[in-house]
Amino acid sequence: MTAPSKLDDLYCRPGFLFKRCHQVAAAIFIEECREFNVTSSQFSALYVLHTHPGVDQIALGRLTGLDRSTVGLVIRLLEERKLLERWPNPHDKRRMQLKLSAAGERLLEEVTPAAERARQRVLAILPPSQRDELMQLLVNLLERHGAVIDAEAILEGKHRPGRFDFSEAKPARPARRRGA
Amino acid sequence: MTAPSKLDDLYCRPGFLFKRCHQVAAAIFIEECREFNVTSSQFSALYVLHTHPGVDQIALGRLTGLDRSTVGLVIRLLEERKLLERWPNPHDKRRMQLKLSAAGERLLEEVTPAAERARQRVLAILPPSQRDELMQLLVNLLERHGAVIDAEAILEGKHRPGRFDFSEAKPARPARRRGA
DNA sequence: AACTTTTCGTCAGACGTATGTCAATTATGC
DNA sequence: GCATAATTGACATACGTCTGACGAAAAGTT
């Protein structure tokens, strides 16, 4: 039907399609959640902190697929809105433990139906069989790339950083040699 | 096998999966193209300008799925590296026409094999049948959401802005009322 | 115990992405 | 023709995302 474009090679790239699909999903999410002023990253953080209160920022990053800096930004914004509380871990003063405030719990409850509507709007446009198929293929791709988030391992401290962990500093400092 | 996590509801959200898959694809792209210092947005811009020299920034934005501000940033960076040329359209002084420089064309040629390797690495991990299936499902989702980029319409000026066009200012200025 | 390495969170910088505003320019309606 | 509206690209702002560097603190080594 549509004439083949010179740009089809670009538009069929997986990265391009992922980005475009994410644009669509993000736009719908923002639309549904506009009244609550919550982005999808913030929603993820609220959700994780609801189910796992007391985690620190690094763990939150691993659980949400965000790096340390992004987590720092996201939780700063949430903290400024008094949606969560932070306090240093008494056993390790580097760690800041996180927990939703009452207002945070309340907001999450209010946002959840809107987020669910967004989810539906993104997928409902596909025939039911294709919905599961698409989600399954995406999970499958992530699995084979070792990019599935293993919440158990992270929370048990058995986490082994993979290729797509952005939470930690990569090769550390070059470790200035003493010998030479 | 893996114990069901309390977070599966989060990890199965389409937006979350799109974002995570995009993270994977973007990381692989950056890795393969590191020596050229080219991001995927920049690659898209180079590619479009190669096949359609002379377009202006708005059209480039529509063709790449970027809004005006992002296009402005991307082309500024490319221009600073002398990879493209800009000159005002003589018939419409608002428009800046864009074209790759010789260096830009050369860089695109050099980057293309690396970008192709990245594409392969993202998809090759899936069995062949699943690759097409996944790509097809993504395109299908975009089509049904009216988010497929119609290069012909854009270039012919027959473009009708859809829900997922970020290139233009939305409802324009509120048009200050004269009456009241 | 002293030194080194690693880890946590912050900051600065870069790029990506979208909104909103603005000046200049063009198109349109009367 | 002239006032109004729409378009283009600039800019400012905001948020997201990652890298690299850093200080503080903890863990590991010798």
Side-chain angles (χ1 to χ4, degrees):
Chain A
M1 201 86 307
T2 54
S5 160
K6 288 185 207 159
L7 297 174
D8 281 349
D9 281 355
L10 178 62
Y11 296 156
C12 283
R13 293 182 60 85
F16 195 93
L17 290 173
F18 291 146
K19 189 174 81 169
R20 192 84 180 125
C21 286
H22 183 250
Q23 273 181 325
V24 170
I28 290 176
F29 187 94
I30 290 291
E31 207 174 302
E32 290 290 345
C33 300
R34 182 174 306 282
E35 59 181 311
F36 305 110
N37 259 301
V38 172
T39 67
S40 53
S41 292
Q42 290 172 356
F43 176 75
S44 294
L46 292 174
Y47 192 92
V48 170
L49 291 180
H50 168 72
T51 57
H52 298 90
V55 300
D56 63 274
Q57 296 187 196
I58 293 287
L60 178 59
R62 291 188 179 132
L63 291 171
T64 51
L66 302 177
D67 70 316
R68 294 163 300 156
S69 297
T70 306
V71 169
L73 175 63
V74 169
I75 64 113
R76 183 170 65 74
L77 295 175
L78 293 177
E79 190 184 29
E80 281 170 9
R81 291 168 65 184
K82 308 241 185 279
L83 297 173
L84 57 80
E85 294 158 16
R86 293 203 314 162
W87 71 99
N89 181 323
H91 301 313
D92 186 341
K93 289 176 206 152
R94 294 169 304 180
R95 288 178 143 92
M96 297 295 279
Q97 297 191 253
L98 305 168
K99 186 170 85 68
L100 292 190
S101 67
E105 295 283 359
R106 204 175 325 121
L107 180 62
L108 178 60
E109 266 181 50
E110 291 172 356
V111 171
T112 297
E116 178 56 18
R117 280 199 303 278
R119 201 184 68 85
Q120 297 284 352
R121 275 183 59 192
V122 171
L123 289 179
I125 213 166
L126 287 180
S129 65
Q130 288 187 27
R131 292 172 212 165
D132 303 342
E133 211 174 315
L134 175 56
M135 295 296 99
Q136 197 49 54
L137 281 169
L138 293 174
V139 171
N140 193 232
L141 183 76
L142 290 178
E143 260 173 12
R144 290 171 184 252
H145 277 292
V148 164
I149 296 170
D150 183 349
E152 307 305 314
I154 293 167
L155 294 166
E156 317 271 309
K158 296 183 189 128
H159 175 67
R160 295 249 25 96
R163 300 179 63 79
F164 303 108
D165 274 302
F166 307 101
S167 10
E168 41 248 80
K170 288 300 160 49
R173 197 169 29 236
R176 63 167 179 283
R177 64 251 179 256
R178 330 157 287 217
Chain B
M1 201 83 308
T2 56
S5 159
K6 288 184 205 160
L7 296 175
D8 281 349
D9 282 356
L10 178 62
Y11 297 155
C12 284
R13 294 183 59 85
F16 194 93
L17 290 173
F18 291 146
K19 190 174 81 170
R20 191 86 179 124
C21 287
H22 182 251
Q23 274 181 327
V24 170
I28 291 176
F29 186 94
I30 290 290
E31 207 174 301
E32 291 289 345
C33 299
R34 182 175 306 284
E35 59 181 310
F36 306 110
N37 258 302
V38 172
T39 67
S40 53
S41 291
Q42 291 172 356
F43 175 75
S44 294
L46 291 175
Y47 192 91
V48 170
L49 291 181
H50 168 72
T51 57
H52 298 90
V55 299
D56 63 278
Q57 295 187 194
I58 293 287
L60 177 59
R62 290 187 180 131
L63 291 171
T64 52
L66 302 177
D67 69 318
R68 292 164 303 154
S69 296
T70 306
V71 170
L73 175 63
V74 170
I75 64 115
R76 183 171 66 74
L77 296 175
L78 293 178
E79 190 184 29
E80 282 170 8
R81 290 168 65 183
K82 309 239 185 280
L83 297 172
L84 56 80
E85 293 158 16
R86 291 197 322 155
W87 71 98
N89 181 322
H91 302 313
D92 186 341
K93 291 177 206 151
R94 296 168 304 180
R95 287 177 143 96
M96 297 295 278
Q97 296 191 253
L98 306 168
K99 184 170 87 68
L100 292 190
S101 67
E105 295 283 0
R106 203 174 328 121
L107 180 62
L108 178 60
E109 265 182 51
E110 291 172 357
V111 171
T112 298
E116 177 57 18
R117 281 199 303 276
R119 200 184 71 84
Q120 296 285 353
R121 274 183 61 192
V122 171
L123 289 179
I125 212 164
L126 286 180
S129 64
Q130 289 187 27
R131 292 173 211 165
D132 304 344
E133 210 174 314
L134 176 56
M135 295 297 99
Q136 196 49 54
L137 282 169
L138 293 173
V139 170
N140 193 232
L141 183 76
L142 290 177
E143 260 173 11
R144 291 172 184 251
H145 278 292
V148 164
I149 296 171
D150 184 349
E152 307 305 314
I154 292 166
L155 294 167
E156 317 271 310
K158 292 181 190 133
H159 175 67
R160 294 249 22 97
R163 301 179 61 81
F164 303 108
D165 274 301
F166 307 100
S167 10
E168 42 249 81
K170 287 299 161 48
R173 195 167 30 234
R176 63 170 177 281
R177 64 257 182 250
R178 327 156 289 213

